[in-house]
Amino acid sequence: MAKGNGHNLEASNYDPTAIEEDEPLTWRFWRKRRYIVVLLAFFGFFNVYSLRVNLSVAIVAMTENRTVIDENGQESWEQDFPWDSKQKGLILSSFFYGYILTQFIGGFVGAKIGGNIVFGIGIGATAILTLFTPLAAKHSLEMLLAVRIIEGIFEGVTFPCIHAVWSRWAPPLERSRMASIAFAGNYAGTVIAMPSSGLLATAYGWESVFYVFGAIGCVWLILWMVIVRSGPDRDRFCSANERDYIMKKIGVGANKSIKHPWKSIFTSLPFFAIVASHFSENWGFYTLLTQLPTFLKDTLNFDLDKTGFLSAVPYLAMGILLGVSGYLADWLQVKGIWTTTQVRRNFNCGAFLAQTVFMILTAYLLDPTWSVVCITIAVGLGAFAWSGFAVNHLDIAPQHASVLMGIGNTFATIPGIVSPMLTGYLVVDQTSEEWQTVFFISAGIYLVGCVIYWIWASGELQEWAKTPEQKAHEMTQHQVSNNNTSPNAYVNEAMDMKEEMK
């Protein structure tokens, strides 16, 4: 009996919500090792998108007609690469042929060996390949396509494996802000890369676009590999208090071997709601990411240098709002105003409805000023969607989050392949009617994703994702609240579950 009482005391004292840090989190983020990881992840995603979008701007310079006057005063036209709209669509989508292949691998391997290693290798290899892009383009179209596909293969691991990092570094009530701050690097990279690419291409030639951003990516790789570890337990610069706080909050460390319940994953409606939402957001995002510079130049008649700046404006809005949405999402949960499910659903679906409306307005207006305004609002409000679906994997199955992200992002990469090619086939003569069709399709897909997510989304830990320790704690709590059942029956069964972890 004494042993049973001892078990009861141990189990009832297990309450991860009651754990506090000695030094609370303040604006001095550098005092917390986990936010150093967030900062470097931010710059990692900065490189992810700067390496991805630079071609969207550079390809305009690579294919534009330039006036040439020879020694006899004869005027003629020339261009570096005589690619038509279909070939440009193929080039812009080729990256995603490789990108889609390594989503699952990135999540699975990241969970096994540490997301930090996979994340660093993925971005670093992409940066090195970017340095060789001008050489590949001058060699042949086929060689350029091959380099872009291989870049996609390496970069495909980045989003899934970062969830392996968060599963070991991010306490539950800080997940939204930590992930959102890091993901804001995507849009910071886009904001910097688009106008910088236009300026570099104009001043130093299109080749400089790839050399500059490739070199930046290589510098980041060195810093990431030197500083970041897979979890707080392996970081010798992480304080003992912060390490204990993180590991107790998220309950990691006991389970060294993670077994993924594949059948439960592939039959989970909340998971498929995340996948549908991710697909929808990426369709609109990739459509604008790859086609916005062309749309602004050919349809709204902006010059190349202005095209880069204007193309960056929507992503500047999104980068700023990501920080706001992540903080607001965590605050609403901490204050108990909304449940996690309500936060994810309301943020995600509210953003999708607004994006649907402003995409339709863009299609109707096609005015230089108002089109940029509508696109900026549509893309910017996507920040709230990212505080919905993008961190939802960590809610429903934190230990399996990197694998879920890998599976989901595989499907969500399809828009990156299909959208640029579809736009290339739809927009042949650069007429306003052709671009209206492109925006209408994006608006419709946003709306479908909104409906699916609203019906099936959940912010609760799924039964199939609970660890033996979590199940033991739940049974113990149930025993405490149930006076009609023998306490020891629950406690002994709970302790049997906890023994499974050893």
Side-chain angles (χ1 to χ4, degrees), residues 295-312:
F295 168 69
L296 292 174
K297 183 178 186 297
D298 293 342
T299 305
L300 302 182
N301 300 314
F302 285 105
D303 295 330
L304 178 60
D305 53 350
K306 292 182 180 178
T307 293
F309 280 102
L310 289 172
S311 298

Side-chain angles (χ1 to χ4, degrees), residues 283-285 287-289 291-296 299-300 355-367 371-372 374-376 378-379 419 422-423 426-427 431-447:
W283 184 282
F285 180 78
T287 297
L288 293 176
L289 189 70
Q291 301 299 329
L292 191 54
T294 302
F295 168 69
L296 292 174
T299 305
L300 302 182
Q355 288 175 302
T356 300
V357 170
F358 284 101
M359 276 291 191
I360 292 173
L361 285 173
T362 301
Y364 272 114
L365 294 173
L366 289 177
D367 172 80
S371 289
V372 172
C374 290
I375 290 172
T376 299
V379 173
S419 176
L422 180 62
T423 304
L426 291 174
V427 183
T431 65
S432 59
E433 291 77 13
E434 291 171 341
W435 280 105
Q436 281 180 339
T437 303
V438 172
F439 290 120
F440 280 138
I441 291 172
S442 296
I445 292 175
Y446 275 133
L447 188 59

